Amino acid sequence: MLIPSTLDTTLAPKGKHVASLFCQHFRYDLGPSRSWDKEREKAADAIIATVDSHAPGFAKSVIGRQIHSPLDLERRFGLIGGDIFHGKMSLDQLFSARPMIGAADYRMPLKGLYLCGSGAHPGGGVTGAPGHNAAQAILADRKPWSRRKP
Ligand SMILES: Cc1cc2nc3c(=O)[nH]c(=O)nc-3n(C[C@H](O)[C@H](O)[C@H](O)COP(=O)(O)OP(=O)(O)OC[C@H]3O[C@@H](n4cnc5c(N)ncnc54)[C@H](O)[C@@H]3O)c2cc1C
């Protein structure tokens, strides 16, 4: 949980705060009989109750809330499956299998097109590492002796 208004007082009126609760461990697929459109509020209630059990009074202090379920993240921000890393960081999608086997060297099938974001090795997170590696591949391809001209 982050409370950014403790540092930036312009985010909330005096005496009030905004808190962001980032709760990553929710499945996107809830099965055929449940949907995030129906479960969204319940999930938020459970999260707030958890905080309240550690910080009594928290739940009562909430006067408004905005919920982004995995489905909302997909609809609103185009994050497929609600995955914040542009593709799950699961064993079958890491290293030479990111984003898929045969396409893990940043070079896409279309000549001159490179994958430089979280979908590429080493994956999601605010590291800049996929972009750095893609830039190295681009520079290598621009060398006069490169067989892979961009
Ligand atoms: C809620 C949330 C919390 C997170 N928390 C953390 C964290 O605590 N720590 C951490 O390491 N990572 C965190 N992440 C993951 C991290 O933010 C991403 O893995 C990372 O930002 C991906 O970087 P990227 O450069 O690949 O893509 P992005 O940061 O998604 O950048 C892609 C950019 O391309 C732009 N774009 C898209 N389409 C077009 C287009 N057609 N033309 C021009 N521009 C376009 C987008 O507007 C965007 O600015 C979080 C993600 C989310 C959603």
Side-chain angles (χ1 to χ4, degrees):
M1 180 166 88
L2 293 170
I3 310 180
S5 51
T6 57
L7 297 174
D8 181 350
T9 52
T10 64
L11 293 174
K14 211 168 183 295
K16 308 262 187 291
H17 283 284
V18 286
S20 162
L21 283 75
F22 178 35
C23 309
Q24 215 176 330
H25 304 281
F26 284 97
R27 273 186 295 158
Y28 169 79
D29 186 2
L30 298 179
S33 57
R34 295 163 79 204
S35 96
W36 269 113
D37 285 331
K38 292 204 179 113
E39 303 290 337
R40 186 187 293 108
E41 299 289 333
K42 267 192 261 171
D45 288 343
I47 291 163
I48 289 172
T50 304
V51 176
D52 199 70
S53 69
H54 295 280
F58 176 77
K60 259 199 242 152
S61 72
V62 176
I63 56 174
R65 63 191 195 183
Q66 184 181 45
I67 309 161
H68 291 305
S69 72
L71 183 61
D72 299 318
L73 291 175
E74 181 176 82
R75 283 183 186 146
R76 189 157 176 194
F77 304 113
L79 294 169
I80 306 296
D83 192 289
I84 64 164
F85 292 133
H86 303 189
K88 223 177 200 172
M89 301 279 282
S90 51
L91 268 183
D92 60 332
Q93 295 192 135
L94 289 178
F95 303 105
S96 55
R98 192 165 187 88
M100 63 185 79
I101 286 170
D105 69 348
Y106 308 95
R107 299 166 176 97
M108 294 291 100
L110 198 62
K111 211 171 170 195
L113 180 68
Y114 296 81
L115 190 64
C116 60
S118 288
H121 174 78
V126 191
T127 64
H132 170 271
N133 293 354
Q136 298 300 316
I138 294 166
L139 290 173
D141 290 351
R142 286 174 66 89
K143 296 229 164 93
W145 56 85
S146 168
R147 280 191 284 152
R148 291 201 53 154
K149 296 274 176 226

